[in-house]
Amino acid sequence: MEKIYGTIIEINASDRTFVIQTKQKKMRLYMQRAMHNKLGKYLAPNHRIYCVIESPTHFKCEKRYVIHHIQMIKQVASQRPVILFNQKNIEIETKQLINHLQYTMFLDLEMSMHPYRVDKSFVQEIIQVGYILSDANNQVVERYQTYIQPTVHKTLTKRTLKFLDLTQENVDNGITFQEFYNHFNNVIQRFKPAIIVWGKNDQIGLK
């Protein structure tokens, strides 16, 4: 990965790419859909961008760089720059928010995955869960990790076994979903923690 910065000189919103001019050269950058939905509104000609990019790929005979993450976007005004997005400020504010919470649960869920073939009847289920519950002083109140038996599709798909670091035996020997639900609900009712998850899939699973 490489840190770069430059001035935006061309935007193509249809394929989520834009061209920047660095001190050395022009580069076409590509944004993943989720990133574009969040930060695409800040892209405009003459705005400056600071970001971290991955190794270049070729698409339609053109070299482009996938953005790993954006550190800053600013509008260069005539008097002084206006910062439109600053990742460092978000990290500081997030840390301050977490540190002011009474109880915090860092939750990680693993879900069963669709088979390689199309199966409209397939239902994803939580098959592994882990969390760390801490208090306002950042002291660990509880650590929890368990496998959960699937109730709809009891046999894991090959895709699940290939992607996740677990086995069919792990989930067969796990607790039932009802047992997990009862435990989890008890913890939520008792501590009322703020729950922090790692990604969109965990948010969906939690809901």
Side-chain angles (χ1 to χ4, degrees):
M1 294 188 186
E2 176 186 3
K3 291 183 179 181
I4 63 166
Y5 69 93
T7 302
I8 299 173
I9 59 175
E10 177 188 328
I11 299 173
N12 189 339
S14 63
D15 64 2
R16 305 191 300 280
T17 66
F18 58 96
V19 178
I20 67 169
Q21 176 68 61
T22 69
K23 289 184 178 180
Q24 294 81 21
K25 59 182 178 180
K26 294 181 180 179
M27 305 173 69
R28 181 170 292 277
L29 307 184
Y30 170 77
M31 303 177 78
Q32 300 284 359
R33 187 179 301 278
M35 183 186 296
H36 187 268
N37 290 342
K38 179 181 178 182
L39 302 178
K41 60 186 177 183
Y42 299 127
L43 303 180
N46 298 321
H47 286 187
R48 293 187 66 87
I49 184 168
Y50 301 73
C51 59
V52 176
I53 58 173
E54 301 177 5
S55 301
T57 60
H58 286 83
F59 181 76
K60 295 182 179 179
C61 301
E62 183 181 36
K63 182 187 291 186
R64 67 183 190 181
Y65 298 80
V66 176
I67 299 176
H68 184 269
H69 66 273
I70 294 175
Q71 298 173 316
M72 184 186 298
I73 303 174
K74 63 182 180 180
Q75 178 182 2
V76 183
S78 57
Q79 296 181 346
R80 63 177 183 177
V82 177
I83 296 176
L84 304 174
F85 173 80
N86 190 335
Q87 180 64 33
K88 183 174 290 186
N89 288 347
I90 293 176
E91 292 172 357
I92 292 172
E93 292 169 1
T94 301
K95 184 176 181 180
Q96 290 173 343
L97 172 63
I98 293 174
N99 288 340
H100 281 83
L101 297 173
Q102 190 67 26
Y103 288 98
T104 307
M105 175 187 287
F106 297 91
L107 175 70
D108 187 23
L109 302 175
E110 299 294 356
M111 311 283 290
S112 58
M113 302 178 69
H114 289 264
Y116 289 112
R117 69 182 187 282
V118 177
D119 184 354
K120 294 183 179 181
S121 68
F122 187 84
V123 178
Q124 284 189 292
E125 301 176 80
I126 299 173
I127 55 176
Q128 185 179 10
V129 61
Y131 67 72
I132 295 177
L133 179 69
S134 59
D135 62 19
N137 297 315
N138 293 323
Q139 297 299 309
V140 175
V141 176
E142 181 182 6
R143 295 177 185 269
Y144 182 84
Q145 193 279 327
T146 189
Y147 295 102
I148 302 171
Q149 300 169 13
T151 56
V152 181
H153 305 284
K154 297 184 181 297
T155 301
L156 300 179
T157 64
K158 292 180 180 179
R159 187 177 182 184
T160 303
L161 294 172
K162 182 178 180 180
F163 188 81
L164 299 179
D165 185 22
L166 49 73
T167 66
Q168 181 68 47
E169 185 179 8
N170 289 147
V171 296
D172 287 344
N173 293 328
I175 64 175
T176 66
F177 180 81
Q178 189 63 53
E179 289 177 284
F180 161 67
Y181 181 87
N182 292 341
H183 168 83
F184 192 70
N185 187 55
N186 179 265
V187 172
I188 300 303
Q189 295 300 321
R190 180 181 175 189
F191 296 100
K192 296 180 173 55
I195 303 175
I196 298 175
V197 296
W198 307 114
K200 186 174 182 179
N201 288 339
D202 293 79
Q203 289 179 325
I204 294 171
L206 182 59
K207 288 179 181 179

